[in-house]
Amino acid sequence: NAGVTQTPKFRILKIGQSMTLQCTQDMNHNYMYWYRQDPGMGLKLIYYSVGAGITDKGEVPNGYNVSRSTTEDFPLRLELAAPSQTSVYFCASSYSIDPGGTDTQYFGPGTRLTVL
Amino acid sequence: AQSVAQPEDQVNVAEGNPLTVKCTYSVSGNPYLFWYVQYPNRGLQFLLKYITGDNLVKGSYGFEAEFNKSQTSFHLKKPSALVSDSALYFCAVRDTKTGFQKLVFGTGTRLLVSP
């Protein structure tokens, strides 16, 4: 049981390039999330998903896209990378049988992205 | 909107002494509160949560947190700090606006435990 895994661990992009951050969980969780962590700012929610085929925007979705074709995978796509997207990105997952659940979120190790 | 505040950017404590990391919250309705810890170059790890019941919540690694409704606080505590407790600690509250499990995080408090 690996939990939540993320690839790559580090990446440097040039302005305007695109890339996909991969996230996979093997806990059969229905909820998955993408956060970004900026220094001194805590974590901000980018997108989340409540199940395969269902995604929704979080607080800071601009410049990103997601898809959820399977329960396990929740990739985050950056189109036209900008310096403002330099950050550490965390994927997380949780399980709940109802929307009002209060279950623990499990985090991946993060991807450190620099856009130059 | 739901929010949490962590008033201290950094807390310094000597090993063996008790530690407190502060968190205050602002919510409409019943608060669902969490503490997470982040070690260097790692993802966040769950420590404990308060949903309902006893005001003193016990969690992982000997940590506990005290829920105080009148002071709208949820401070993290440990009776005897270890050097290995040095890390970044985040308080979070569940956002009930949409009914989904979105967490709103504080800005984090860095705990430094000196030998």
Side-chain angles (χ1 to χ4, degrees):
Chain A
N1 188 332
V4 180
T5 57
Q6 293 182 237
T7 57
K9 292 185 179 180
F10 305 94
R11 184 72 184 268
I12 299 175
L13 284 181
K14 293 182 179 179
I15 294 173
Q17 287 186 317
S18 301
M19 76 164 294
T20 299
L21 281 65
Q22 302 292 344
C23 175
T24 300
Q25 53 91 9
D26 62 0
M27 297 173 282
N28 201 31
H29 285 171
N30 49 352
Y31 285 47
M32 294 188 75
Y33 316 79
W34 274 106
Y35 294 92
R36 58 178 287 172
Q37 183 182 30
D38 300 317
M41 298 295 290
L43 278 75
K44 300 292 185 183
L45 183 65
I46 305 172
Y47 270 95
Y48 66 99
S49 169
V50 301
I54 307 170
T55 63
D56 204 352
K57 296 177 180 179
E59 301 171 80
V60 289
N62 292 342
Y64 308 95
N65 277 301
V66 294
S67 59
R68 183 102 181 267
S69 56
T70 66
T71 298
E72 295 79 18
D73 300 308
F74 190 41
L76 177 72
R77 177 81 177 165
L78 278 71
E79 305 282 1
L80 299 175
S84 61
Q85 294 178 304
T86 294
S87 188
V88 181
Y89 292 83
F90 289 102
C91 180
S93 72
S94 63
Y95 179 79
S96 180
I97 59 174
D98 66 85
T102 54
D103 298 278
T104 302
Q105 292 188 20
Y106 295 86
F107 285 77
T111 295
R112 186 174 297 275
L113 176 67
T114 301
V115 182
L116 300 175
Chain B
Q2 324 288 61
S3 66
V4 290
Q6 295 181 244
E8 302 157 315
D9 290 335
Q10 183 165 309
V11 170
N12 297 305
V13 64
E15 188 173 33
N17 284 356
L19 69 88
T20 298
V21 182
K22 296 179 180 178
C23 173
T24 58
Y25 65 88
S26 174
V27 303
S28 55
N30 294 322
Y32 296 151
L33 297 158
F34 301 77
W35 275 103
Y36 283 81
V37 60
Q38 184 180 28
Y39 298 101
N41 301 314
R42 302 286 297 275
L44 276 68
Q45 295 179 31
F46 169 77
L47 278 179
L48 51 80
K49 65 182 176 183
Y50 172 83
I51 307 300
T52 187
D54 289 341
N55 290 341
L56 187 63
V57 180
K58 294 189 182 297
S60 306
Y61 313 122
F63 283 93
E64 57 190 25
E66 186 173 9
F67 172 70
N68 188 316
K69 189 174 183 177
S70 63
Q71 298 184 4
T72 62
S73 66
F74 189 56
H75 300 334
L76 182 69
K77 300 181 179 183
K78 188 173 183 181
S80 179
L82 300 173
V83 173
S84 58
D85 292 331
S86 298
L88 191 57
Y89 290 81
F90 289 96
C91 182
V93 63
R94 188 172 74 87
D95 184 353
T96 59
K97 181 179 179 181
T98 64
F100 294 116
Q101 294 184 55
K102 291 168 24 176
L103 290 180
V104 176
F105 287 86
T107 53
T109 297
R110 187 166 302 279
L111 174 66
L112 288 177
V113 182
S114 55

